[in-house]
Amino acid sequence: MAQVNIKKVVKEYEGGVQAVKGIDLDIGDKEFVVLVGPSGCGKSTTLRMIAGLEEITSGAIEIDGNIVNDVPPRDRDIAMVFQNYALYPHMSVYDNMAFGLMLRKFPREEIRRRVENAARILDIGPLLERKPKALSGGQRQRVAMGRAIVRDPKVFLFDEPLSNLDAKLRVQMRTEIKKVHQTVKTTTVYVTHDQVEAMTLADRVVVMNHGIIEQVGPPQVLYHSPATKFVAGFIGSPAMNFIPARLEQASGALNVRLSDGALLPVPADRTARYAGHAGREVLFGIRPEHLTAASQMEARPGLAPLSLTPEVVEPLGAETLFYCWRDGGEICAKIDPGVAAAPGVPLAMTADMNRMHIIDPATDKVL
Amino acid sequence: MALDATTALAGGPMTPAGGGTLRRLARRRSTIAFLMTLPLIAVIAGLVAYPAGYAIYLATLNRRMTGFIGLGNFEILLESETFRMVIWQSCFFAVTAVILKALFGFWLASMLHHIPTKGQRIWRGMLLLPWVVPPALSTLGWWWMFDPSYSSINWVLTAIGGPAIPWLGEPWWARVSVILVNVWAGTPFFMIMYLAALKSVPDQLYEAAAIDGATGWQGLRYVTLPMMRNIISITVLFSLIVTFANYDIVRVLTNGGPRDLTHVFASYAFQVGILSGNIPRGAAVSLFMFPILAGIAFFVLRGVTQRNKEMA
């Protein structure tokens, strides 16, 4: 059980390429933190620096209050689950899990007890004598997790552990990982590019982009109050719509004027927040789930009528997505499957302006 | 209708029954495969099976090659003190040389493996040279360096205050010289094989081992060597066979001397069979190690197949 503190950490590769540009992050004891971002954002590098597999160019990483910058991986008391599992192919499942304990000279009985306990938690008891080759992807992933669990380390590190699994297994293993964390309660740092994984697993999500941290917060906070355009667009699926617009003030009320002329009134409780930006060009951000068919919404304050003409309709069963192109930008809306939507037929929609976001295009900050 | 269906299945045009049977046979995949491998089968039969069979046949004949004497040649050889010495020398030569080649090869491969790829090529090329130069030529070079009067090695040794060594004149030093040259010429083969094996071990296994708590040595012992086991055993087996059959180094360097004390199977077989004109007994000498090496090869290759099934 331990805290991890990352202080002004920079990773610069030969040739001056900075993969991580001075990040600060404090991870609390027993916390499950997910680093998420597109590929090349520096999340894996950050994880590998915590593991000691990459040197830190500058800054400091502390585990349990001790600076570990120059401590080799084996002395950091961490365990890591790799994307392609990195199981030793010449060792049985039991030996794979026991290896770390054997190197640390644990008594044979203790090793057996720990391995069997981990095998029980992960339900891989019958596989202990097999070689990794004879296991399925999901089973290998469990063994890789078992190898981490038996060590009972201060910190678990996961490097995109589910990206080699098929979609169904990924969902199943995601739940397993969460269950394991609830059981063993070890501080966990988890890297993924999949925002759904991040949202479902994390106590706190760290969104990274271009080597910096865009925002840190619980999943709900990132979803409802993204700090930047990047976070707004990255969290949530389908992604948030961004429509060029202008904030217009008319007789005390504030409106969002979309680039094609549509006028959407800003709710009264938000007027003060945006008043300083009246008359400026902005980006109007709204999630597809907050753009719904007028027929399925009961009237309440903050709903703005809007007409959209679906061009592509995707029925998903529980909901229907449709896409239209307005002024060069794609707009996605999520409507009730009961609403008849057909390509080319204009549909009366409402935008839930209580859930909208206004982004300053100059700074990409959410206002 | 049924006939039509079978011809159609065989992929052939519809032909009247009878004439179609041959044509169908010719169109079968296995027939085509056999015909296409026929040249290879002929080459193996003519250049491997026939000479091997003929050598076995020769080894069972008497000196004048007029009568069958069964294992008589082998019995005579085993009674000969010189041949028993040749067996011992061959085994000592081959085992020592292979062990040294394997060790040096692994050492060089590990060093090369840690050089960045860009600079690696030139070193790899230079280190491969001893293996590429025709052994008769390079051994001649060594022979000059070992020469009793003009030895450059001795010149260096005496220059730094050491004793001059009778490289090829004294039996033990002659054996050392033969092994030294064989190791020099054969190490690059091990190096290149081990380098390929080292490159095939995924980096993540080392990273996993480092996190599991392995030191460099433990990484070598528990990850690198087990992962290289197949390549190591195949390389050692191959080199053992080739080293047991080595001829040119002994021939050029010592010619079996002094007093037959550096002969190995191949050079002794040449001496007995060609120089002394006893071809059947020469054949028996050269065949002597065959059953033992075949046995070793069987077990090594079986182990390799088994590990391949379990791991790859």
Side-chain angles (χ1 to χ4, degrees):
Chain A
M1 304 297 150
Q3 298 178 358
V4 177
N5 305 99
I6 300 174
K7 295 178 175 167
K8 303 208 167 9
V9 165
V10 173
K11 175 67 190 181
E12 189 174 308
Y13 287 105
E14 273 175 55
V17 181
Q18 279 200 344
V20 176
K21 299 170 183 167
I23 59 169
D24 287 289
L25 180 65
D26 293 317
I27 299 164
D29 186 23
K30 298 177 188 169
E31 198 179 12
F32 197 123
V33 164
V34 176
L35 307 183
V36 67
S39 48
C41 71
K43 56 190 190 299
S44 279
T45 311
T46 306
L47 190 81
R48 290 170 60 81
M49 286 193 289
I50 300 175
L53 299 172
E54 297 273 359
E55 275 181 29
I56 300 168
T57 311
S58 71
I61 290 179
E62 291 177 5
I63 296 177
D64 227 6
N66 304 315
I67 294 181
V68 293
N69 289 18
D70 300 316
V71 177
R74 66 172 181 276
D75 298 327
R76 292 191 183 199
D77 200 8
I78 44 150
M80 186 156 166
V81 177
F82 293 85
Q83 180 176 357
N84 54 9
Y85 325 126
L87 298 177
Y88 311 114
H90 53 283
M91 292 185 198
S92 67
V93 167
Y94 182 93
D95 290 338
N96 262 286
M97 287 163 69
F99 185 58
L101 300 176
M102 185 206 84
L103 292 176
R104 288 181 162 78
K105 304 211 160 40
F106 274 70
R108 199 177 281 263
E109 270 315 300
E110 174 68 7
I111 295 179
R112 176 157 293 279
R113 195 185 61 73
R114 286 195 184 199
V115 171
E116 280 169 359
N117 183 40
R120 198 165 34 76
I121 293 175
L122 295 163
D123 201 17
I124 48 172
L127 309 176
L128 287 178
E129 297 312 313
R130 293 207 202 157
K131 292 268 167 68
K133 193 202 170 194
L135 304 178
S136 69
Q139 290 170 330
R140 283 179 209 186
Q141 190 55 63
R142 279 164 208 263
V143 177
M145 276 167 61
R147 187 164 68 176
I149 292 174
V150 293
R151 292 255 320 278
D152 191 17
K154 284 181 182 160
V155 185
F156 277 153
L157 305 174
F158 288 86
D159 189 5
E160 309 218 11
L162 306 183
S163 47
N164 281 4
L165 302 178
D166 62 56
K168 197 175 161 194
L169 206 52
R170 207 177 310 159
V171 175
Q172 191 189 332
M173 286 304 295
R174 205 166 69 196
T175 324
E176 299 260 337
I177 291 177
K178 193 153 191 173
K179 225 163 64 186
V180 167
H181 181 251
Q182 283 163 2
T183 315
V184 300
K185 295 194 176 65
T186 306
T187 311
T188 302
V189 186
Y190 186 108
V191 161
T192 178
H193 61 265
D194 180 352
Q195 55 95 18
V196 178
E197 233 169 271
M199 299 289 277
T200 49
L201 285 170
D203 295 327
R204 278 194 305 157
V205 178
V206 178
V207 183
M208 292 186 72
N209 190 29
H210 295 309
I212 57 159
I213 293 178
E214 294 265 343
Q215 190 174 2
V216 183
Q220 289 304 318
V221 171
L222 294 195
Y223 179 81
H224 290 296
S225 319
T228 63
K229 184 191 172 199
F230 178 80
V231 176
F234 193 79
I235 300 290
S237 172
M240 189 186 285
N241 300 299
F242 298 110
I243 307 162
R246 170 193 280 275
L247 280 175
E248 288 183 356
Q249 197 142 27
S251 59
L254 201 60
N255 292 305
V256 175
R257 168 84 67 185
L258 300 187
S259 51
D260 64 351
L263 199 67
L264 306 170
V266 173
D269 60 335
R270 291 207 186 195
T271 321
R273 188 161 145 195
Y274 303 135
H277 297 271
R280 296 223 200 126
E281 299 292 330
V282 293
L283 273 179
F284 170 66
I286 188 149
R287 296 191 185 280
E289 50 270 42
H290 303 139
L291 266 183
T292 44
S295 59
Q296 72 188 79
M297 290 296 281
E298 285 173 30
R300 59 183 161 88
L303 295 187
L306 178 71
S307 174
L308 292 174
T309 308
E311 290 177 43
V312 174
V313 178
E314 291 180 343
L316 299 177
E319 67 222 8
T320 298
L321 299 179
F322 76 74
Y323 297 86
C324 57
W325 279 263
R326 247 178 116 110
D327 205 26
E330 184 192 80
I331 297 178
C332 174
K334 199 185 262 186
I335 55 173
D336 197 89
V339 177
V345 182
L347 198 61
M349 302 285 293
T350 54
D352 186 350
M353 300 298 279
N354 298 310
R355 305 291 191 84
M356 71 160 180
H357 302 276
I358 296 292
I359 295 146
D360 180 350
T363 59
D364 275 348
K365 293 260 190 291
V366 176
L367 300 173
Chain B
M1 196 61 205
L3 180 73
D4 286 355
T6 42
T7 32
L9 270 179
M14 289 184 203
T15 46
T21 319
L22 248 183
R23 206 176 290 193
R24 270 210 302 275
L25 188 69
R27 277 172 182 275
R28 285 235 302 258
R29 288 174 69 90
S30 53
T31 315
I32 294 171
F34 175 74
L35 289 175
M36 289 179 81
T37 46
L38 205 54
L40 182 67
I41 293 171
V43 166
I44 290 177
L47 298 181
V48 179
Y50 172 72
Y54 192 61
I56 293 170
Y57 165 71
L58 278 180
T60 60
L61 300 181
N62 62 10
R63 179 170 191 153
R64 277 185 287 163
M65 297 167 69
T66 49
F68 178 77
I69 56 166
L71 296 176
N73 278 320
F74 294 95
E75 281 164 22
I76 296 167
L77 278 175
L78 281 174
E79 280 162 19
S80 140
E81 204 169 312
T82 313
F83 184 68
R84 287 207 297 267
M85 201 171 65
V86 168
I87 298 178
W88 183 84
Q89 275 159 198
S90 295
C91 292
F92 177 74
F93 166 71
V95 172
T96 317
V98 168
I99 289 175
L100 289 176
K101 282 187 275 193
L103 290 177
F104 281 121
F106 185 78
W107 179 59
L108 287 174
S110 314
M111 289 209 298
L112 271 183
H113 186 54
H114 288 102
I115 297 176
T117 326
K118 221 172 138 192
Q120 208 181 82
R121 206 181 294 172
I122 181 153
W123 288 101
R124 210 165 50 199
M126 285 198 303
L127 286 167
L128 266 179
L129 272 180
W131 190 57
V132 178
V133 177
L137 270 182
S138 56
T139 311
L140 212 56
W142 279 99
W143 182 65
W144 283 329
M145 291 201 282
F146 289 141
D147 184 274
S149 321
Y150 308 108
S151 166
S152 54
I153 302 177
N154 278 351
W155 185 84
V156 173
L157 281 177
T158 45
I160 58 169
I165 292 170
W167 290 106
L168 304 174
E170 201 272 326
W172 271 106
W173 279 116
R175 285 171 189 152
V176 168
S177 308
V178 171
I179 290 171
L180 181 73
V181 177
N182 183 270
V183 169
W184 173 83
T187 297
F189 170 69
F190 278 81
M191 180 195 78
I192 210 77
M193 295 292 281
Y194 288 172
L195 186 62
L198 282 173
K199 282 183 193 295
S200 71
V201 180
D203 281 342
Q204 283 209 331
L205 287 190
Y206 294 117
E207 292 181 345
I211 287 174
D212 267 338
T215 59
W217 279 111
Q218 285 169 326
L220 178 74
R221 183 176 158 199
Y222 295 112
V223 179
T224 315
L225 290 179
M227 290 296 287
M228 289 176 65
R229 242 179 106 177
N230 275 352
I231 300 267
I232 291 176
S233 26
I234 289 179
T235 313
V236 165
L237 171 71
F238 186 76
S239 176
L240 198 65
I241 293 171
V242 172
T243 311
F244 259 117
N246 189 282
Y247 167 73
D248 28 24
I249 292 177
V250 173
R251 180 76 179 85
V252 173
L253 220 50
T254 64
N255 203 6
R259 290 171 283 123
D260 292 336
L261 287 170
T262 57
H263 263 311
V264 291
F265 285 120
S267 62
Y268 189 63
F270 183 75
Q271 171 159 317
V272 172
I274 307 294
L275 299 181
S276 312
N278 192 342
I279 288 177
R281 195 161 306 156
V285 171
S286 59
L287 281 174
F288 194 80
M289 277 309 283
F290 176 69
I292 298 165
L293 287 177
I296 295 175
F298 174 77
F299 286 108
V300 168
L301 294 177
R302 198 174 64 165
V304 167
T305 319
Q306 204 168 340
R307 276 192 294 277
N308 259 343
K309 263 193 224 151
E310 279 178 9
M311 276 169 57

